[in-house]
């Protein structure tokens, strides 16, 4: 069974700062997902990656398969980035995702 | 943009009652999932569904739970006899491919409160 760990659990930063959220997992995966959850509860998919790096706007996600580690970066952070960021791992087959506990990010103006 | 729709957004039920949570997945998706999130905890996998049958279920998904795709559009989660500990946010998700190798689209969730 995969264990997915995230750090930090909570992060408060000033607007404009570069943000890094880390995720590690215990067994090999087929893909790693980064998701965003807003206070209302809805979950939005940000990235799905199985190797290398992906970029979308100010968000960048990287993964190191050998080290079983992924990072989510936010450049030029903005208060609207405040949310819970969750990483989730998939192990192939038809099973669902194994989620981390999430990182609660607050960006102060 | 296509989206996964869940109804109701909030349901309050008495302990022991049956509830049905409804989901309309994205129309060309083939894989469907239910997850739950107890307040303050992480999201947990309940069940995956493909080709009109359960593909995999977690240990949480015991005999009180069932899923159904009664027609071409709806995907439902039934909890037969609710318990206080079933209070949680329930998320439906769908994806075009399986194995977690394609992007999953989540609904806004149904907050279930058992009293």
């Amino acid at each position: 069974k995969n264990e997915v760990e995230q750090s930090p659990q909570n992060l408060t930063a000033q607007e404009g700062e570069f943000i890094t959220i880390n995720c590690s997992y215990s067994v090999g995966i087929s893909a790693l997902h980064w998701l965003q959850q807003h206070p209302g509860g809805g979950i939005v998919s940000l990235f799905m990656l199985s190797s290398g790096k992906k970029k979308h706007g100010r968000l960048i996600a990287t993964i190191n398969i050998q080290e079983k580690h992924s990072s989510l970066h936010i450049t030029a952070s903005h208060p609207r980035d405040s949310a819970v960021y969750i990483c989730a791992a998939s192990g192939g087959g038809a099973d669902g995702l194994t989620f981390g506990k999430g990182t609660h990010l607050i960006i102060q103006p | 943009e296509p989206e996964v729709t869940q109804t109701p957004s909030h349901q309050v039920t008495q302990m022991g009652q049956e509830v049905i949570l409804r989901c309309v997945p994205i129309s060309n998706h083939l894989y469907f999932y239910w997850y739950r999130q107890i307040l303050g905890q992480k999201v947990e996998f309940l069940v995956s569904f493909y080709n009109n049958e359960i593909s995999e279920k977690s240990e949480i998904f015991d005999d009180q739970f069932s899923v159904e795709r009664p027609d071409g559009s709806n995907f439902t989660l039934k909890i037969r006899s609710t318990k206080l500990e079933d209070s949680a946010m329930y998320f439906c998700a769908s994806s075009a491919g399986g194995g977690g190798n394609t992007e999953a689209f989540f609904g806004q969730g149904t907050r279930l409160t058992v009293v």
Side-chain angles (χ1 to χ4, degrees), chain A residues 9-82:
Chain A
Q9 218 171 318
N10 296 285
L11 178 57
T12 299
Q14 295 297 311
E15 183 174 356
E17 284 188 41
F18 182 81
I19 304 298
T20 296
I21 300 170
N22 295 299
C23 175
S24 61
Y25 49 92
S26 57
V27 301
I29 60 168
S30 55
L32 193 288
H33 300 245
W34 281 102
L35 307 148
Q36 182 190 56
Q37 186 173 30
H38 277 283
I43 296 173
V44 175
S45 175
L46 299 174
F47 294 104
M48 187 201 70
L49 65 167
S50 53
S51 64
K53 176 180 172 177
K54 285 190 176 180
K55 184 176 190 294
H56 184 241
R58 294 180 294 106
L59 302 178
I60 303 165
T62 63
I63 189 167
N64 185 318
I65 297 294
Q66 286 73 30
E67 294 186 4
K68 297 186 177 62
H69 181 269
S70 175
S71 293
L72 176 69
H73 305 285
I74 306 174
T75 62
S77 59
H78 190 275
R80 65 174 174 266
D81 297 326
S82 299

Side-chain angles (χ1 to χ4, degrees), chain A residues 1 3-4 30-31 33 35 37 39-46 48 86 90-101, chain B residues 31 33 35 37 41-45 48 50 55-56 59 89 91 98-109 111:
Chain A
K1 185 182 172 185
E3 299 292 332
V4 179
S30 55
H33 300 245
L35 307 148
Q37 186 173 30
I43 296 173
V44 175
S45 175
L46 299 174
M48 187 201 70
I86 305 171
S90 63
D95 56 332
L97 301 175
T98 301
F99 285 72
K101 290 184 178 178
Chain B
Y31 295 81
Y33 309 87
Y35 294 88
Q37 185 178 32
Q41 297 186 22
K42 64 182 179 181
V43 178
E44 300 171 290
F45 168 70
S48 58
Y50 169 71
S55 305
E56 185 166 342
E59 55 196 27
M89 183 78 101
F91 292 101
N101 298 328
T102 53
E103 185 179 7
F105 291 79
F106 287 79
Q108 289 297 305
R111 184 169 299 283

Side-chain angles (χ1 to χ4, degrees), chain B:
Chain B
E1 186 174 321
E3 59 180 15
V4 176
T5 307
Q6 288 186 243
T7 54
S9 56
H10 191 185
Q11 172 121 24
V12 181
T13 189
Q14 292 217 320
M15 192 169 53
Q17 294 297 303
E18 175 183 286
V19 295
I20 297 176
L21 310 184
R22 291 184 165 79
C23 170
V24 179
I26 292 173
S27 62
N28 62 344
H29 284 182
L30 301 175
Y31 295 81
F32 314 116
Y33 309 87
W34 283 102
Y35 294 88
R36 80 169 185 191
Q37 185 178 32
I38 294 170
L39 187 64
Q41 297 186 22
K42 64 182 179 181
V43 178
E44 300 171 290
F45 168 70
L46 291 178
V47 66
S48 58
F49 191 87
Y50 169 71
N51 200 26
N52 281 319
E53 60 183 25
I54 290 174
S55 305
E56 185 166 342
K57 57 185 180 180
S58 72
E59 55 196 27
I60 302 169
F61 194 88
D62 61 22
D63 290 345
Q64 69 164 321
F65 292 94
S66 62
V67 289
E68 196 177 34
R69 189 156 161 82
D71 52 43
S73 58
N74 290 286
F75 179 50
T76 62
L77 174 69
K78 182 191 290 185
I79 309 175
R80 251 178 284 282
S81 177
T82 51
K83 299 178 279 201
L84 294 176
E85 54 265 38
D86 294 327
S87 295
M89 183 78 101
Y90 288 81
F91 292 101
C92 173
S94 70
S95 61
N101 298 328
T102 53
E103 185 179 7
F105 291 79
F106 287 79
Q108 289 297 305
T110 293
R111 184 169 299 283
L112 176 65
T113 303
V114 182
V115 297

